[in-house]
C-alpha cells in the first residue's frame, strides 16, 4: 500500500507538499523525502513527534540515537511508517533544523494501492515557496495552571539575583579570576 501525506509548513502562508511513500518505508525514508521536497540540504538534525488530534506534541523519534545508552533509544530508521500512522492515527509533527525550527504538520490523506511504474517516495504536488527563514514560533505555557500561582507570591528580587545572598559564587569555592 501507498500512504499519501500532506506536509504543511507551520506558517501563515500556505506552503505544502503532497508526498506518496510506501507503507513499509521507514520514517528516515520519509524524512529524506521531506528534505528533498522542500529543498533543504539535509545536513541538519530532525525529529518526528507523535501527536494527538489537536496537534499536541507527544513522543519524539529522532534521526540519531541521542540517549545515554547507545542503542536503547529507537530512531527513525527503526519505525516503518505504518507502525505509527494509519487511518486511525493520521497526524504527526516533523521538525527540521533545531536552530531554525522548521516545523511541519503532517497528515495522512489517503491509503491507496501502489501504482505500477511509479518510484516511491514520490512528490505528487507542490504549493508555495519556502520562505528565506523559518517562521517565528511563540512558545507559551498555560498560565491557568495552579502551579504558577503557588510560586509567584514566594519570589522577591533577591531570589532572582544570582550574585546575592548565601548562594553567591563565593560559597562554591571558585576564585573570581580562575583562568
Amino acid at each position: 500500500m501507498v500512504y499519501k501525506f500532506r506536509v504543511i509548513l507551520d506558517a501563515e502562508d500556505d506552503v505544502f507538499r503532497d508526498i506518496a511513500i510506501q507503507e513499509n518505508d521507514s520514517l528516515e525514508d520519509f524524512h529524506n523525502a521531506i528534505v528533498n521536497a522542500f529543498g533543504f540540504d539535509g545536513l541538519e538534525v530532525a525529529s518526528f513527534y507523535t501527536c494527538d488530534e489537536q496537534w499536541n506534541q507527544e513522543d519524539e523519534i529522532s534521526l540519531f540515537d541521542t540517549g545515554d545508552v547507545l542503542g536503547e533509544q529507537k530512531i527513525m530508521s527503526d519505525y516503518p511508517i505504518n507502525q505509527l500512522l494509519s487511518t486511525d492515527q493520521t497526524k504527526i509533527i516533523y521538525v527540521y533544523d533545531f536552530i531554525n525550527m522548521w516545523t511541519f504538520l503532517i497528515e495522512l490523506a489517503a491509503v491507496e494501492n501502489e501504482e505500477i511504474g511509479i518510484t516511491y517516495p514520490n512528490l505528487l504536488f507542490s504549493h508555495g515557496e519556502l520562505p528565506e527563514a523559518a517562521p517565528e514560533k511563540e512558545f507559551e505555557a498555560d498560565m491557568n495552571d495552579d502551579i504558577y500561582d503557588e510560586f509567584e507570591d514566594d519570589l522577591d528580587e533577591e531570589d532572582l539575583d544570582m550574585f546575592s545572598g548565601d548562594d553567591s559564587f563565593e560559597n562554591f569555592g571558585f576564585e573570581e579570576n580562575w583562568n
Side-chain angles (χ1 to χ4, degrees):
M1 299 301 286
V2 171
Y3 281 24
K4 293 185 176 180
F5 291 98
R6 176 151 289 172
V7 182
I8 306 166
L9 176 64
D10 188 13
E12 285 187 33
D13 294 334
D14 289 339
V15 179
F16 63 88
R17 307 291 185 261
D18 291 345
I19 298 172
I21 189 165
Q22 293 172 322
E23 67 177 333
N24 292 324
D25 283 345
S26 70
L27 284 180
E28 184 176 13
D29 297 326
F30 195 23
H31 152 77
N32 291 327
I34 295 168
V35 164
N36 291 330
F38 283 93
F40 292 121
D41 60 17
L43 300 175
E44 302 298 332
V45 177
S47 286
F48 284 97
Y49 296 88
T50 59
C51 63
D52 62 19
E53 284 298 312
Q54 287 73 42
W55 299 103
N56 293 311
Q57 183 176 312
E58 295 173 344
D59 298 325
E60 178 181 16
I61 303 164
S62 61
L63 183 57
F64 304 107
D65 188 344
T66 57
D68 293 335
V69 178
L70 191 61
E72 190 173 83
Q73 177 182 3
K74 289 183 87 175
I75 57 175
M76 288 183 198
S77 61
D78 295 329
Y79 288 96
I81 292 171
N82 63 2
Q83 184 177 344
L84 290 175
L85 297 160
S86 65
T87 53
D88 294 328
Q89 174 58 40
T90 60
K91 296 178 180 182
I92 197 164
I93 299 169
Y94 173 74
V95 177
Y96 176 80
D97 182 357
F98 291 134
I99 302 294
N100 294 302
M101 298 295 289
W102 292 95
T103 304
F104 299 87
L105 307 175
I106 301 173
E107 190 158 16
L108 178 62
V111 177
E112 299 178 354
N113 290 323
E114 194 172 325
E115 293 182 41
I116 305 290
I118 301 293
T119 303
Y120 296 99
N122 185 16
L123 178 61
L124 302 172
F125 185 74
S126 177
H127 178 80
E129 291 187 31
L130 203 61
E132 293 279 326
E136 292 288 323
K137 298 282 177 254
E138 290 185 29
F139 298 100
E140 299 176 12
D142 185 1
M143 298 306 283
N144 294 329
D145 290 344
D146 293 335
I147 191 167
Y148 294 104
D149 296 335
E150 179 181 331
F151 295 107
E152 188 175 343
D153 296 331
D154 295 337
L155 294 177
D156 59 25
E157 193 65 34
E158 190 173 301
D159 291 327
L160 302 175
D161 185 357
M162 64 186 256
F163 297 108
S164 68
D166 293 332
D167 293 332
S168 68
F169 288 123
E170 296 160 0
N171 294 334
F172 291 115
F174 295 117
E175 294 179 24
E176 187 172 336
N177 297 313
W178 56 274
N179 56 355

